[in-house]
Amino acid sequence: MSETIFSKIIDKSIPADILYEDELSLAFRDINPQAPIHFLVIPKKAIATINDIEEQDKTLVGHLYWVAAKLASELGFAEQGYRAVMNCNEDGGQTVYHIHLHVLAGKPLGWPPYQEKLKR
Ligand code: DGP
């Protein structure tokens, strides 16, 4: 897999506002926040898209949600609520090809993200 900007954040060759790190994962604030709180939780293992998650990665992907919930609790927005989503490929809006969980919070978030216009 080719290197992405997130590999450089993992190896600390470029800076990021890091919220949490362990041997498997890293969480840092998104450079272009879409909500009052917006951070990313990524695996240190480079996996390009959701489609590239292999059977041996199942625990690792669950770990990303565990980190999201831990930070939600520590940062104080767990009870109010939040969204934790991964975009996949072009239609999903993915721009960085190293899987990442977006964690968005701090205001009521719109749903659904897309609605067909009703035909007359
Ligand atoms: P996605 O579109 O789902 O692939 O989201 C990629 C996110 O990554 C986007 O919200 C912006 C964020 N991002 C891209 N480059 C950087 C960076 O260099 N630093 C940080 N902190 N976030 C970045």
Side-chain angles (χ1 to χ4, degrees), residues 4 21 23 26 44 70-71 75 78 84 87 99-100 103 110:
T4 69
E21 180 169 16
E23 69 284 6
L26 189 68
K44 289 188 171 173
K70 175 181 165 61
L71 286 172
L75 297 174
N87 298 329
I99 59 166
H100 47 283
V103 181

Side-chain angles (χ1 to χ4, degrees), residues 13 109 119:
S13 59
L109 301 162
K119 290 193 182 112

Side-chain angles (χ1 to χ4, degrees), residues 14-70:
I14 67 163
D17 186 355
I18 293 172
L19 298 172
Y20 177 83
E21 180 169 16
D22 62 24
E23 69 284 6
L24 296 175
S25 68
L26 189 68
F28 52 94
R29 292 194 194 275
D30 195 291
I31 206 168
N32 183 25
Q34 301 300 315
I37 298 165
H38 184 180
F39 59 85
L40 306 173
V41 187
I42 70 171
K44 289 188 171 173
K45 178 179 177 183
I47 300 170
T49 78
I50 296 173
N51 297 334
D52 301 298
I53 295 169
E54 296 178 341
E55 186 159 16
Q56 69 262 25
D57 302 321
K58 289 192 295 187
T59 306
L60 175 61
V61 175
H63 183 78
L64 304 181
Y65 275 97
W66 177 83
V67 172
K70 175 181 165 61

Side-chain angles (χ1 to χ4, degrees), residues 72-73 76-82:
S73 175
F77 61 82
E79 294 311 314
Q80 191 67 31
Y82 57 100

